[in-house]
Amino acid sequence: EAQVTQNPRYLITVTGKKLTVTCSQNMNHEYMSWYRQDPGLGLRQIYYSMNVEVTDKGDVPEGYKVSRKEKRNFPLILESPSPNQTSLYFCASSLSGYGYTFGSGTRLTVV
Amino acid sequence: GQQVMQIPQYQHVQEGEDFTTYCNSSTTLSNIQWYKQRPGGHPVFLIQLVKSGEVKKQKRLTFQFGEAKKNSSLHITATQTTDVGTYFCAGGGNNDMRFGAGTRLTVKP
């Protein structure tokens, strides 16, 4: 089944403890993006990647890192999480840069 | 930068009534995409509009892209309880895709 897989689905962590949210797609898509979703703000792009080793900042990149060493994987790294990064995170991929397929989401709480 | 505004924020309708959500951009968009997110779920791609004045239909859903490519609408005819969710528009693509804040639709049976 064609899909985007994120892990974990839920995560509660403490301020400052490094964490990684994994994202993998099995559709051989070139484009991948990370979004955060907060009430009333819709989906805001954190980082995106147009191909292996090609990444760029979205609208809200502060406090996040990404890497794209393989086409299928696009992990999101929070080096030192803070409470304002408590949010619902989505990874998404696309063949053409349009019409993204989203993962099921990761609900992160930073206390 | 490019901003995409979406209204209304919420819409509550009786089953069988029509529903429309509107999306407006401050700049010309190369394309507009629409997504639906069910409660507790993830956004699911519905459609992409590219041409000025384009109209596309998916069963009871009608999507329009304005002549100036700065606005778009999604109209649902005779809503059903299965239409419940949040509808997002997204303008542009790749590195300049911006989502509207979404319209949350609830349907009373």
Side-chain angles (χ1 to χ4, degrees):
Chain A
E1 180 188 354
Q3 60 184 358
V4 177
T5 304
Q6 287 180 236
N7 280 297
R9 289 293 307 276
Y10 302 91
L11 179 59
I12 301 175
T13 190
V14 296
T15 298
K17 185 177 181 182
K18 181 179 178 180
L19 67 91
T20 299
V21 183
T22 63
C23 174
S24 181
Q25 51 94 3
N26 62 1
M27 297 168 281
N28 202 35
H29 283 172
E30 302 282 342
Y31 298 88
M32 298 188 75
S33 282
W34 275 102
Y35 293 89
R36 61 176 289 173
Q37 184 174 31
D38 302 288
L41 296 178
L43 291 146
R44 293 181 292 167
Q45 191 178 54
I46 303 170
Y47 269 94
Y48 66 94
S49 171
M50 292 190 280
N51 211 328
V52 174
E53 302 293 1
V54 180
T55 62
D56 210 342
K57 297 177 180 178
D59 289 330
V60 289
E62 294 78 20
Y64 305 95
K65 288 174 58 177
V66 293
S67 68
R68 187 93 182 272
K69 296 177 181 173
E70 307 165 279
K71 197 172 188 178
R72 64 184 292 125
N73 296 323
F74 191 44
L76 179 69
I77 303 156
L78 285 72
E79 294 273 2
S80 183
S82 61
N84 64 12
Q85 292 178 298
T86 292
S87 186
L88 178 59
Y89 291 86
F90 288 103
C91 180
S93 73
S94 166
L95 183 63
S96 60
Y98 307 96
Y100 276 79
T101 300
F102 281 76
S104 298
T106 297
R107 188 167 292 280
L108 172 66
T109 302
V110 184
V111 298
Chain B
Q2 176 181 291
Q3 298 287 334
V4 176
M5 307 301 292
Q6 193 172 352
I7 57 170
Q9 190 174 358
Y10 302 96
Q11 186 78 57
H12 179 72
V13 300
Q14 189 79 35
E15 188 173 21
E17 292 181 340
D18 292 355
F19 159 77
T20 305
T21 174
Y22 300 91
C23 192
N24 293 287
S25 170
S26 56
T27 59
T28 301
L29 300 169
S30 58
N31 73 93
I32 194 88
Q33 300 164 58
W34 286 92
Y35 292 78
K36 176 184 178 181
Q37 184 177 22
R38 294 183 185 276
H42 57 276
V44 174
F45 174 68
L46 295 176
I47 207 162
Q48 177 186 338
L49 304 173
V50 179
K51 299 176 182 176
S52 170
E54 190 169 13
V55 178
K56 287 188 176 180
K57 293 190 175 184
Q58 290 180 348
K59 298 182 180 178
R60 293 178 294 104
L61 278 61
T62 301
F63 304 85
Q64 295 188 340
F65 200 10
E67 293 290 341
K69 300 182 75 172
K70 287 186 175 182
N71 57 76
S72 181
S73 65
L74 159 59
H75 179 82
I76 301 178
T77 303
T79 55
Q80 300 175 358
T81 54
T82 54
D83 295 324
V84 164
T86 300
Y87 292 85
F88 293 97
C89 62
N94 300 341
N95 60 325
D96 67 348
M97 191 161 84
R98 297 290 185 275
F99 280 83
T103 296
R104 183 176 174 184
L105 173 65
T106 55
V107 180
K108 185 177 181 180

